Amino acid sequence: MEAKTSPNRGTPNNSPRASSLTQFRMIVVSVTCATLVSVVNNIIMPNDRLSSSGNRSHDTPQKYPKTSKKLTKDQHINTFWWPSPEEYGGILGKIHDFQNPSDCSAASAKFFVWRSKSDNENDTRGLTAWAHAASSHMLHALTDADQPEAGHRILINDDKLFPMAKGCEHGPETRECYFEPLTNCKLSDVDDYETADPKSTKIKILSKPDEEYDRSVRTLYTSDSLWFRKVKDMYSWTGLGFNSQHSTIHMTAASLAYYFRVKPWLRKEIDERLRRNIPLDLNPQRTIGVPIRRSDKCHGHALEGSASGELECPPLEEYLKKVKEFLEFDPRIENVIVTSEDKSACEEFLEILNKELPSLRVIQNIGDVQQGTGSGSKLEAYTEGSSNAEVVASALTSLHMHMRARYFVLTSKSTWTSTIAVMARVYGFASEVIVFDIGPNKNTFAHLARRGCA
């Protein structure tokens, strides 16, 4: 019986020569790998060595968990999923590391304290307006206002009332009622301007967002303005180079994702709502998202404690027109997710959809409070029998639902709908997100929502 030959050589596989060649190759590979590990250990990573087995070895125990199935989004089509900094890594993980030092009392630790408005009880900002302020302050802290060589700061918010947390039954009446703390450091770790010596050089309170300051100051306080300093180079703190080499949208989305890490009780609530609202067979690639933003965004809005209108809201027929254009573009579309804080607008649009496009499966946020405003100062007063917590849970459920869409019809003059588009582009369940902006804005964030780039 003839011996089988290798397709690349004429030497039989079971011959003495083949055996010798195999052993020789194993020795060469072993020596090469051992040499490579030695080089990496001694030259590339002297403080983060590779063991002989190829695994990283540290002077301290491994900090991060092994990759788990939680990273597989398609396993969570109708259950809660949000990127975990510890597991997701990347920019999100880097923010988490900088915000959570091993020693908050270290002499090298510097802080940026996010102050509430002096009249914070009447602060009308909604969920995403707060998140955008946090994102901007975060980048200010991480770059120390475009001087990363001076060392980064740790962003920490004060413990004043968060208007949407009034009556919180799950924690303090601060943002920590709903969201995980921005840092593991405490306010007791910072220098308190109310008790400090007025001549102290450790503290600086900004009078306006873009005021210059001594970078050696240990504790910096924001002004009590709604606004924030715009960082010129948001990547400078990462060690990856500069803005021109990277995408603005990924840094923006990561900072927003970090802010929107919800507490376990709220995660459970959103999860239950997603299970109720999202069909198991939903295909994100064949889904349109229509987050309709009306009420206090529109001229003529008048609700006590709510922000006044600021734009001519696009007619609902315009939303329908763009949905039809998406269907012409991609006949495979099967679903449309429709949400709105404005109950009447939502019901009217659903009626139009059912009449004009009866074959589309409509997915709604069942149980949505639809409080009739995006303003956050008096949520408990807008819908009888509903609490602030129910309003927040409803709104965040809508955001999570839209992460499961590919095509969007929205107005970028709303930070709410723009945030949905940006987050869907980076952390959503579908690929190749496409947006129709029927009420376009001209700022950088609107460009990110509309095109994915500034």
Side-chain angles (χ1 to χ4, degrees), residues 367-420:
D368 191 353
V369 173
Q370 296 182 305
Q371 70 280 2
T373 179
S375 301
S377 59
K378 292 186 177 181
L379 290 179
E380 75 284 354
Y382 300 138
T383 305
E384 186 176 354
S386 293
S387 65
N388 284 330
E390 288 175 307
V391 174
V392 171
S394 289
L396 291 177
T397 298
S398 291
L399 184 150
H400 278 259
M401 288 175 66
H402 284 294
M403 293 301 98
R404 290 146 174 85
R406 181 184 200 179
Y407 304 106
F408 289 92
V409 183
L410 51 78
T411 169
S412 64
K413 286 186 178 179
S414 161
T415 58
W416 172 252
T417 56
S418 294
T419 299
I420 286 173

Side-chain angles (χ1 to χ4, degrees), residues 47-209:
N47 297 319
D48 190 14
R49 298 181 299 277
L50 292 179
S51 67
S52 59
S53 63
N55 298 321
R56 290 187 187 277
S57 61
H58 301 262
D59 295 330
T60 56
Q62 181 71 20
K63 182 178 179 181
Y64 305 106
K66 293 181 179 179
T67 301
S68 73
K69 292 182 180 179
K70 291 181 181 178
L71 292 178
T72 308
K73 282 183 285 192
D74 58 9
Q75 295 179 348
H76 295 270
I77 192 64
N78 79 327
T79 58
F80 183 94
W81 183 88
W82 197 249
S84 162
E86 296 89 346
E87 293 194 8
Y88 210 82
I91 299 170
L92 181 59
K94 193 73 170 178
I95 292 173
H96 178 271
D97 292 348
F98 273 48
Q99 280 291 109
N100 295 275
S102 58
D103 183 6
C104 296
S105 63
S108 59
K110 297 193 299 182
F111 299 93
F112 191 31
V113 183
W114 180 13
R115 298 166 63 206
S116 302
K117 286 178 60 182
S118 55
D119 185 24
N120 65 309
E121 288 193 19
N122 295 315
D123 192 332
T124 61
R125 282 179 290 181
L127 284 168
T128 50
W130 279 95
H132 280 266
S135 172
S136 297
H137 288 319
M138 180 75 72
L139 291 173
H140 180 158
L142 292 169
T143 66
D144 208 356
D146 283 313
Q147 290 192 25
E149 65 277 4
H152 79 284
R153 293 183 181 274
I154 299 161
L155 180 65
I156 183 170
N157 55 281
D158 66 21
D159 57 0
K160 300 295 191 296
L161 173 73
F162 185 59
M164 284 176 276
K166 283 182 281 188
C168 178
E169 297 179 355
H170 305 278
E173 291 184 326
T174 65
R175 70 171 293 279
E176 282 74 34
C177 173
Y178 305 113
F179 306 108
E180 294 293 347
L182 295 174
T183 174
N184 63 342
C185 298
K186 310 296 181 186
L187 286 172
S188 57
D189 294 311
V190 312
D191 301 283
D192 186 353
Y193 71 91
E194 293 182 344
T195 60
D197 182 340
K199 298 181 180 180
S200 174
T201 57
K202 290 184 176 182
I203 298 173
K204 171 66 178 178
I205 303 173
L206 297 177
S207 59
K208 55 183 181 178

Side-chain angles (χ1 to χ4, degrees), residues 338-351:
V338 180
T339 64
S340 180
E341 87 293 342
D342 189 323
K343 184 176 181 180
S344 61
C346 190
E347 290 178 346
E348 184 180 345
F349 186 67
L350 289 173
E351 186 176 336

Side-chain angles (χ1 to χ4, degrees), residues 30-46:
S30 176
V31 171
T32 303
C33 289
T35 303
L36 178 60
V37 168
S38 177
V39 169
V40 173
N41 274 339
N42 292 291
I43 298 177
I44 301 175
M45 299 178 180

Side-chain angles (χ1 to χ4, degrees), residues 311-368:
L311 65 114
E312 290 294 337
C313 287
L316 296 177
E317 288 75 17
E318 191 67 22
Y319 284 90
L320 178 67
K321 177 184 175 182
K322 295 304 181 184
V323 169
K324 287 182 176 180
E325 288 180 21
F326 271 136
L327 286 168
E328 290 177 8
F329 169 75
D330 187 352
R332 300 169 186 80
I333 291 172
E334 303 168 340
N335 316 291
V336 57
I337 299 173
V338 180
T339 64
S340 180
E341 87 293 342
D342 189 323
K343 184 176 181 180
S344 61
C346 190
E347 290 178 346
E348 184 180 345
F349 186 67
L350 289 173
E351 186 176 336
I352 295 172
L353 269 182
N354 289 332
K355 179 181 178 181
E356 298 281 338
L357 301 168
S359 62
L360 269 184
R361 178 168 61 173
V362 178
I363 297 164
Q364 298 175 251
N365 184 357
I366 306 299
D368 191 353

Side-chain angles (χ1 to χ4, degrees), residues 129-303:
W130 279 95
H132 280 266
S135 172
S136 297
H137 288 319
M138 180 75 72
L139 291 173
H140 180 158
L142 292 169
T143 66
D144 208 356
D146 283 313
Q147 290 192 25
E149 65 277 4
H152 79 284
R153 293 183 181 274
I154 299 161
L155 180 65
I156 183 170
N157 55 281
D158 66 21
D159 57 0
K160 300 295 191 296
L161 173 73
F162 185 59
M164 284 176 276
K166 283 182 281 188
C168 178
E169 297 179 355
H170 305 278
E173 291 184 326
T174 65
R175 70 171 293 279
E176 282 74 34
C177 173
Y178 305 113
F179 306 108
E180 294 293 347
L182 295 174
T183 174
N184 63 342
C185 298
K186 310 296 181 186
L187 286 172
S188 57
D189 294 311
V190 312
D191 301 283
D192 186 353
Y193 71 91
E194 293 182 344
T195 60
D197 182 340
K199 298 181 180 180
S200 174
T201 57
K202 290 184 176 182
I203 298 173
K204 171 66 178 178
I205 303 173
L206 297 177
S207 59
K208 55 183 181 178
D210 59 353
E211 180 184 1
E212 278 304 323
Y213 58 91
D214 182 347
R215 298 305 192 277
S216 67
V217 167
R218 183 173 185 269
T219 302
L220 181 69
Y221 286 83
T222 69
S223 68
D224 63 358
S225 167
L226 282 176
W227 304 108
F228 28 79
R229 183 168 183 149
K230 186 175 181 180
V231 169
K232 295 177 182 178
D233 202 318
M234 60 176 61
Y235 274 91
S236 60
W237 62 279
T238 63
L240 295 176
F242 304 100
N243 275 4
S244 59
Q245 298 171 286
H246 304 289
S247 170
T248 299
I249 194 172
H250 288 96
M251 181 65 73
T252 303
S255 60
L256 292 172
Y258 187 80
Y259 179 89
F260 278 126
R261 295 168 300 126
V262 298
K263 286 292 188 71
W265 75 265
L266 185 50
R267 174 186 178 125
K268 181 175 181 292
E269 180 67 29
I270 296 171
D271 182 75
E272 290 174 355
R273 292 168 182 252
L274 290 173
R275 291 174 187 271
R276 184 167 66 233
N277 296 327
I278 301 293
L280 270 171
D281 64 347
L282 180 126
N283 184 346
Q285 302 292 97
R286 301 183 178 188
T287 302
I288 302 173
V290 185
I292 302 173
R293 182 71 172 90
R294 308 285 277 192
S295 61
D296 59 319
K297 269 292 167 185
C298 307
H299 289 316
H301 176 78
L303 189 62

